[in-house]
Amino acid sequence: MNPVDQSKFPTVVIIGGGFGGLQVAKQLAEKPVEVILIDKHNYHTFQPLLYQVATGSLEAESIAFSLRKNFEGQKNLRFRNTEVTRIDAERNTVVTTIGEIPYDYLVIATGSTTNFFGNKDIEHYAMPMKSIPEALNLRYMVLQNLEEAILKPAKEERAPYLSFVLVGAGPTGVELAGALAELRNHVLNKDYPELMKEEMKVYLVDFLPKVLGPFSDEGSKAAEDYLHKMGVELLLNVKVESYDGHEIKFEGGKSILTKNVIWSAGVMGVVPDGVSKDAIERGNRIKVDTICRLVGSPNIFAIGDVAAMITEETPKGHPGVAQVAIQMGETTGKNIYKLIKGEPAVPFKYNDKGSLATIGRNKAIADIGKLKFQGFFAWLIWMFVHLISLMGGRNRVIVFINWVASYVTYNGGSRLIIRNFKREELVQKDEQVSKPD
Amino acid sequence: MNPVDQSKFPTVVIIGGGFGGLQVAKQLAEKPVEVILIDKHNYHTFQPLLYQVATGSLEAESIAFSLRKNFEGQKNLRFRNTEVTRIDAERNTVVTTIGEIPYDYLVIATGSTTNFFGNKDIEHYAMPMKSIPEALNLRYMVLQNLEEAILKPAKEERAPYLSFVLVGAGPTGVELAGALAELRNHVLNKDYPELMKEEMKVYLVDFLPKVLGPFSDEGSKAAEDYLHKMGVELLLNVKVESYDGHEIKFEGGKSILTKNVIWSAGVMGVVPDGVSKDAIERGNRIKVDTICRLVGSPNIFAIGDVAAMITEETPKGHPGVAQVAIQMGETTGKNIYKLIKGEPAVPFKYNDKGSLATIGRNKAIADIGKLKFQGFFAWLIWMFVHLISLMGGRNRVIVFINWVASYVTYNGGSRLIIRNFKREELVQKDEQVSKPD
C-alpha cells in the first residue's frame, strides 16, 4: 500500500520534523516538487526549552507546534504521522508502519537521542530529556518524589527523594540545574511547608573539568559562579560508574543516595534501518559529503544531529545544535531543487551565530563570536532569541506571559502531575500509552 | 503510620479538591482547626472547560491549578496527594494509600464519575470526559482517528473514523458537539487537505426529546437551532442499545458505524468504601440532612455531586453543577466551625444563579432566573463568567489569549498528540502510566 497518492513531480521525502526537516520543507514550498514529511509525533519540538517543561515552568504545548498547522499554507506538502521501519535505498522507498513511500530524494533529519554509552542499568534508572514525553515523565517523577519525601519521618529517609543528580554539564544540565535550584530557593518552602529547603540538593556532574564545555572559559567560569551561588554542588572531573535506582556511584569511591538521576551526558544519532553500517561515524551519525549527501548515494541526504560532515575544518563534524540543523536544512532544501533543475549543488558552510545558556533569573552566558556577555544582558538576549525562535505567535505570547509571571512572582509554573510516572512500567522512556493507574 | 503530624486543634479532613472541597478549606482558613485536604490529583480541575481540553482548544494546565500552590498562604492546611481506601467511621479515621488519617470532622467531596448504567461494552469502548486525563485521552483519540482516516482510500472505510457520536445532550454533550462542528467547519480542510469536511459527521444523541434538558424551552430550542446550523445531526428520543467499538446501535434498529463514541449521558457519585449502604441514594449519592451531614452521623458531611439532600423542595436532590458544590462547601465550612464552637449549624439554602452553555463562536444560551438570553450577548456572559471563575491570574490571561486567538484566526488550539492513545491497553480510563509506545 502506498499511503500517499503521488503526482508526477519529483518526490522529496523528509524524515523528521525537527529544526532541520522543517527548513528543507520550507525551502521547497512553491517549487514543482512533492514533499512528504514524516514524523512519529504530529508536532515540532522546540528542544532548547524542554528543561522548562521538565520543571513545570512551561506547558508542553507552548514549546511544541502542530506540524499540520505549520504547513497549512504549503500546498505541495503532505504530512504523515508514522514511524519509519526501514529505508530501502535500492528501491528508493521508505518503509513505514503505514506502508511504503517511494521517493526521488530522501532527507534523513531524525536527530539524536540520549547516549547511555551501553550502560543498561543507567539507561533503565536514569531519566533522559530529549523529547516532550520524556520531559513530562521527568516533571512527574520530580513532583512525585517531593510528595513522597513529605511522608518520610526521618531526614535520612527523605534525602534520596530530595537529591537531584544531573549528569552532563552541557547547556541542558546547566539549565536544568539552575531551574531546580530556583525551585528549591523560591518554591519549596511555599508549596511543601513540611520540607526544609536545605534538604533539597542539586548536584551537577561532569567528567570534564569545566561546565559548558564548548563555551569560552570566561563563560564557563561565570556559569560555575552562578551555579555555586544558587547552591548547586558541582562535581567536575567525576565519572559515573553505576546507578541502581537508589545509589549513584562515581569512580574513586564516592556515591550519592538518590531517586533522581537525570542523564544529559551524551547523545547519539537516530539512524533508520537500511543505512549501510559503513556510512556510520562516531556518535552513530551518518557520514555525509560537503553537500550533506550520504557518501556514495546520489539522492539521500542527512542533516542536523544525525549527520557527520567530517572535513579538515570540522574533524569531528559539527556541533549538535539547532543552528547547524537549521542551516543544513536550508542548504539541502535549496540543493535538492538545484539538482532537480540539473544545476550544481552548493557546499554547506556553517555560520556560527554563537552560544547561549541561561542559569536562572537574570543569569545567562552568551558567547557570540568575540563578544562574551554574562549576567543580566546575556539573559535578555537569551530570552529574546528563544522567544523569536519559537513557532507560532500564540506560543510566543504565552511563553512570554509565563516568564513575566515567573519573574514577578518568583513562583511560576503549574507543577501538575497529570499522568503518574511509574518506573516499573517504563521500558522505552520516550513514550507513554493509555493504561490504568 | 500517620502520614500527617497532627496538632491538638480539631482536625477537619476533606476528601476531594473540587469546587466543594476548596470552599470548605477556604472557610476554615485562619480558624483554630487543622485542615487536611486529600486528593488523588495534585490539582483542582475546572470541569466546565474540560471539553475545550478534549478538542485541543485549551491546554490541560490552563484549566487546572495546583492545590499546593492554591493553599500556599493557608498555614493551617496540609495537602496529601493520595487515594482514600476506606472510611472507618467508628474509629474516626480515613484509611489512605499512604496511611491512616484520624479526623474530628470529615467532608466527603469526591464528586461524580461517568455512569454507564452497567453496560460493560459501552464502558469499555466509549470515551468518558470527567477528568483531565480522560479529556486528553479523548483528544488523542480524535486526532489519531483523523490521521487514520487519511490512510483509507475508500470513503466507506474512512466513515467510521470521521463519525463522532456524542451520547447525552446536556451541557457537556452540547458544548462538545459545537466544538467538534467548529473543528470540522474551520480546521479540517486546512489541516487535513486529504479529507473533505462533508465526510466528518457529528451526531448528538439523547433519549429525551430535547437538548439541554434542565434549561428553559426557549434556551433548548435556540441550542437546537444553533447545532442544526452548524451541521450537528440531532438524534433525540433515541436510546442507545449497544456499542462494540465499531458500531453503535439504537433501540428501534438504527445504527451508525463509528470509532468515536463519547459518553456524557449520566453521572454517579464517587462514594468511598466504608459509607453504609443504607446511606446511598439514587445515582450512588450519599443521603444528607439539611446541613449536608450524613444521615445518622455526628461528624461526617457530604457535599456537591456526591451528596443527595432530599427535601420537599428538592425531591431528587440538587443538580450536579459547580454552584451547588461551591455553596454547599461554603455552608459546610462555616457550619463545622459553628459546631466546634458549640453553636447551631445553619441549614443549606441553594441560590440558583442560572445556567449557561455555549455552542460555539458567538452562540450561547443563558437562563438566569427569569432572564433568558441566546446568541452573542449570552456568549459574552458565558466567557466572562468562565474567565473570572478560573483559578489563577495566569490561567485567566492564558485562556483569554487562547480564546482571542481562536476567535480571530478561526483556528485555535494546538492539537498535539503528546501520548498515543491505545484502547487495548486501557482498563480504567481516568489514568495513564508510563509505558513504551
Side-chain angles (χ1 to χ4, degrees):
Chain A
M1 183 191 75
N2 177 353
V4 192
D5 286 331
Q6 285 171 5
S7 69
K8 53 196 178 309
F9 290 128
T11 300
V12 180
V13 172
I14 304 165
I15 311 176
F19 288 114
L22 285 190
Q23 278 303 321
V24 177
K26 200 173 151 191
Q27 295 303 325
L28 294 170
E30 318 270 320
K31 301 285 187 295
V33 297
E34 172 115 24
V35 181
I36 297 165
L37 175 64
I38 300 173
D39 200 296
K40 65 173 176 167
H41 293 135
N42 76 340
Y43 53 86
H44 165 79
T45 303
F46 188 75
Q47 293 204 15
L49 291 176
L50 264 183
Y51 79 97
Q52 297 208 1
V53 171
T55 55
S57 309
L58 290 178
E59 308 329 326
E61 281 88 348
S62 303
I63 68 154
F65 198 84
S66 159
L67 289 167
R68 290 197 173 278
K69 197 165 173 175
N70 184 55
F71 288 110
E72 274 175 2
Q74 187 164 336
K75 297 295 170 211
N76 70 346
L77 180 139
R78 242 85 68 79
F79 173 67
R80 287 298 176 266
N81 187 196
T82 182
E83 274 192 77
V84 170
T85 320
R86 190 164 53 84
I87 291 167
D88 187 338
E90 290 200 5
R91 291 171 51 232
N92 285 331
T93 291
V94 173
V95 185
T96 76
T97 46
I98 58 169
E100 300 196 342
I101 303 176
Y103 60 81
D104 297 297
Y105 295 88
L106 175 66
V107 182
I108 303 173
T110 39
S112 59
T113 187
T114 305
N115 192 346
F116 293 98
F117 304 104
N119 189 317
K120 290 287 166 201
D121 275 352
I122 294 178
E123 183 167 354
H124 182 72
Y125 289 108
M127 303 295 284
M129 198 194 71
K130 285 285 289 174
S131 71
I132 283 182
E134 287 176 353
L136 290 173
N137 282 349
L138 181 49
R139 180 199 294 187
Y140 303 147
M141 184 193 73
V142 170
L143 295 171
Q144 286 170 216
N145 281 343
L146 294 180
E147 293 292 341
E148 199 70 37
I150 287 173
L151 304 175
K152 310 287 175 195
K155 204 178 162 181
E156 313 81 72
E157 280 184 278
R158 286 194 294 273
Y161 294 91
L162 296 173
S163 297
F164 296 83
V165 180
L166 314 177
V167 186
T172 300
V174 165
E175 295 184 327
L176 200 50
L180 285 171
E182 290 201 326
L183 183 73
R184 175 189 52 196
N185 299 343
H186 303 309
V187 174
L188 202 70
N189 280 174
K190 287 184 212 160
D191 270 21
Y192 303 87
E194 293 92 341
L195 301 174
M196 303 276 287
K197 93 181 180 193
E198 292 69 27
E199 289 188 69
M200 179 171 160
K201 307 276 185 202
V202 182
Y203 302 92
L204 182 60
V205 183
D206 206 295
F207 74 98
L208 289 174
K210 61 180 238 183
V211 307
L212 295 178
F215 279 63
S216 66
D217 284 346
E218 200 180 324
S220 288
K221 202 77 213 111
E224 287 173 20
D225 274 3
Y226 292 145
L227 289 166
H228 190 73
K229 278 185 194 136
M230 292 168 80
V232 173
E233 296 187 34
L234 293 178
L235 302 174
L236 300 176
N237 282 314
V238 168
K239 261 194 168 158
V240 175
E241 205 172 68
S242 67
Y243 179 53
D244 62 2
H246 188 65
E247 184 175 22
I248 185 167
K249 290 187 178 163
F250 305 110
E251 278 185 19
K254 276 192 76 173
S255 73
I256 297 170
L257 295 177
T258 175
K259 295 282 180 197
N260 312 281
V261 172
I262 298 127
W263 190 264
S264 62
V267 295
M268 56 187 196
V270 176
V271 180
D273 277 358
V275 174
S276 150
K277 290 241 154 29
D278 303 338
I280 304 299
E281 261 294 324
R282 218 173 57 100
N284 206 40
R285 293 173 301 166
I286 299 172
K287 217 184 299 186
V288 295
D289 62 19
T290 56
I291 63 163
C292 292
R293 193 158 52 176
L294 181 59
V295 175
S297 164
N299 60 347
I300 301 181
F301 298 78
I303 61 174
D305 282 12
V306 77
M309 188 186 290
I310 311 287
T311 65
E312 267 183 34
E313 281 171 41
T314 57
K316 293 175 169 184
H318 293 85
V321 297
Q323 272 302 322
V324 169
I326 290 168
Q327 295 178 29
M328 280 186 170
E330 222 176 306
T331 305
T332 301
K334 285 180 184 157
N335 276 340
I336 288 174
Y337 187 51
K338 282 184 197 292
L339 292 173
I340 289 171
K341 288 188 295 181
E343 294 172 9
V346 175
F348 173 68
K349 182 89 193 66
Y350 178 46
N351 169 20
D352 186 350
K353 294 190 176 171
S355 305
L356 291 168
T358 182
I359 294 102
R361 250 184 124 66
N362 301 339
K363 298 185 195 74
I365 313 293
D367 281 5
I368 301 164
K370 298 220 160 129
L371 296 174
K372 325 268 181 227
F373 307 103
Q374 297 93 34
F376 186 70
F377 186 58
W379 184 67
L380 289 180
I381 295 175
W382 180 90
M383 286 205 295
F384 177 74
V385 167
H386 284 77
L387 274 180
I388 58 163
S389 309
L390 271 173
M391 211 183 265
R394 196 203 65 118
N395 283 356
R396 279 179 213 134
V397 173
I398 286 176
V399 168
F400 182 69
I401 289 170
N402 273 303
W403 287 351
V404 169
S406 297
Y407 193 77
V408 173
T409 63
Y410 281 84
N411 188 1
S414 44
R415 297 188 292 281
L416 315 181
I417 305 172
I418 303 281
R419 312 282 187 189
N420 276 332
F421 171 74
K422 295 192 175 177
R423 189 184 307 278
E424 57 274 26
E425 308 214 17
L426 193 72
V427 181
Q428 180 192 320
K429 286 177 187 136
D430 181 45
E431 288 297 341
Q432 298 196 329
V433 297
S434 314
K435 269 215 65 184
D437 189 22
Chain B
M1 184 191 75
N2 176 353
V4 192
D5 288 330
Q6 285 171 4
S7 69
K8 53 197 177 311
F9 289 128
T11 300
V12 181
V13 171
I14 303 165
I15 311 177
F19 288 114
L22 285 190
Q23 277 303 321
V24 177
K26 201 174 150 190
Q27 295 303 325
L28 294 170
E30 318 270 318
K31 300 286 186 296
V33 298
E34 172 115 24
V35 181
I36 298 165
L37 175 63
I38 300 174
D39 200 297
K40 65 173 176 168
H41 293 135
N42 75 341
Y43 53 85
H44 166 79
T45 303
F46 188 74
Q47 293 204 16
L49 291 176
L50 265 183
Y51 80 97
Q52 296 208 1
V53 172
T55 54
S57 309
L58 290 177
E59 307 329 324
E61 282 89 348
S62 303
I63 67 152
F65 198 85
S66 159
L67 289 168
R68 290 197 172 279
K69 198 165 171 173
N70 185 55
F71 288 110
E72 274 174 2
Q74 188 165 337
K75 297 297 171 211
N76 71 346
L77 181 139
R78 242 84 68 78
F79 172 68
R80 287 297 177 265
N81 187 195
T82 182
E83 274 191 78
V84 170
T85 321
R86 189 164 54 83
I87 292 167
D88 187 339
E90 290 200 5
R91 291 170 53 232
N92 285 331
T93 292
V94 174
V95 185
T96 76
T97 46
I98 58 170
E100 299 195 342
I101 303 176
Y103 61 81
D104 296 298
Y105 295 88
L106 175 65
V107 182
I108 303 173
T110 40
S112 58
T113 187
T114 305
N115 193 347
F116 293 98
F117 304 103
N119 190 318
K120 289 288 167 202
D121 274 352
I122 294 178
E123 182 166 354
H124 183 71
Y125 289 108
M127 302 296 283
M129 199 194 70
K130 284 285 288 176
S131 71
I132 284 183
E134 287 177 354
L136 291 173
N137 282 349
L138 181 50
R139 180 200 295 188
Y140 303 147
M141 184 193 74
V142 169
L143 295 172
Q144 286 169 221
N145 280 343
L146 293 179
E147 293 292 341
E148 199 70 38
I150 286 173
L151 305 174
K152 311 285 175 197
K155 205 176 160 182
E156 314 80 72
E157 281 184 280
R158 286 194 293 273
Y161 294 91
L162 296 173
S163 296
F164 296 83
V165 180
L166 315 178
V167 185
T172 300
V174 166
E175 294 184 329
L176 200 50
L180 286 171
E182 290 201 325
L183 183 73
R184 175 190 53 197
N185 298 343
H186 303 308
V187 175
L188 201 72
N189 280 173
K190 288 185 210 158
D191 270 22
Y192 304 87
E194 292 91 342
L195 301 174
M196 302 279 285
K197 93 180 180 193
E198 291 69 27
E199 289 187 69
M200 179 171 161
K201 307 276 186 201
V202 181
Y203 302 91
L204 182 60
V205 183
D206 206 294
F207 74 98
L208 289 174
K210 63 180 236 182
V211 306
L212 295 178
F215 279 63
S216 66
D217 284 346
E218 199 181 323
S220 288
K221 201 77 215 112
E224 286 174 21
D225 273 2
Y226 293 145
L227 289 166
H228 190 72
K229 278 186 194 136
M230 293 168 80
V232 173
E233 297 187 33
L234 293 178
L235 302 174
L236 299 175
N237 282 313
V238 168
K239 261 192 167 161
V240 175
E241 204 173 70
S242 67
Y243 179 52
D244 62 1
H246 188 66
E247 184 175 22
I248 185 166
K249 289 188 179 163
F250 306 110
E251 278 185 18
K254 275 193 77 173
S255 72
I256 297 170
L257 295 177
T258 175
K259 296 283 179 194
N260 312 281
V261 172
I262 298 128
W263 190 264
S264 62
V267 296
M268 56 186 195
V270 176
V271 180
D273 276 358
V275 174
S276 151
K277 290 244 155 27
D278 302 338
I280 305 299
E281 262 293 325
R282 217 173 58 101
N284 206 40
R285 292 173 301 166
I286 299 172
K287 217 184 299 184
V288 295
D289 61 20
T290 55
I291 63 162
C292 291
R293 195 158 50 175
L294 182 60
V295 175
S297 163
N299 60 348
I300 300 181
F301 297 78
I303 61 173
D305 282 12
V306 76
M309 187 185 289
I310 311 289
T311 64
E312 266 182 38
E313 280 170 43
T314 56
K316 293 175 167 185
H318 293 86
V321 297
Q323 272 302 321
V324 169
I326 291 169
Q327 294 177 29
M328 281 187 170
E330 221 176 307
T331 306
T332 301
K334 285 180 183 156
N335 276 340
I336 287 175
Y337 187 52
K338 281 183 199 291
L339 293 174
I340 289 170
K341 287 188 296 181
E343 294 172 8
V346 175
F348 172 69
K349 182 90 193 62
Y350 178 47
N351 169 18
D352 187 350
K353 294 190 176 170
S355 305
L356 292 168
T358 182
I359 294 103
R361 246 183 130 66
N362 302 341
K363 299 186 195 71
I365 313 295
D367 280 5
I368 303 165
K370 299 219 162 130
L371 295 173
K372 326 264 180 232
F373 306 103
Q374 296 94 35
F376 186 70
F377 186 59
W379 185 68
L380 289 180
I381 295 176
W382 180 91
M383 286 205 294
F384 177 75
V385 167
H386 284 78
L387 274 179
I388 58 162
S389 309
L390 269 174
M391 212 183 266
R394 196 203 65 119
N395 283 356
R396 279 178 213 135
V397 174
I398 287 176
V399 168
F400 182 69
I401 289 170
N402 274 303
W403 286 352
V404 170
S406 297
Y407 193 76
V408 174
T409 63
Y410 281 84
N411 187 2
S414 42
R415 297 187 292 279
L416 316 181
I417 305 171
I418 302 282
R419 313 279 187 191
N420 276 333
F421 171 75
K422 295 191 175 177
R423 188 184 309 277
E424 58 272 26
E425 308 216 15
L426 193 72
V427 181
Q428 179 192 323
K429 286 177 186 136
D430 181 45
E431 287 297 340
Q432 296 197 333
V433 298
S434 315
K435 267 216 69 184
D437 189 20

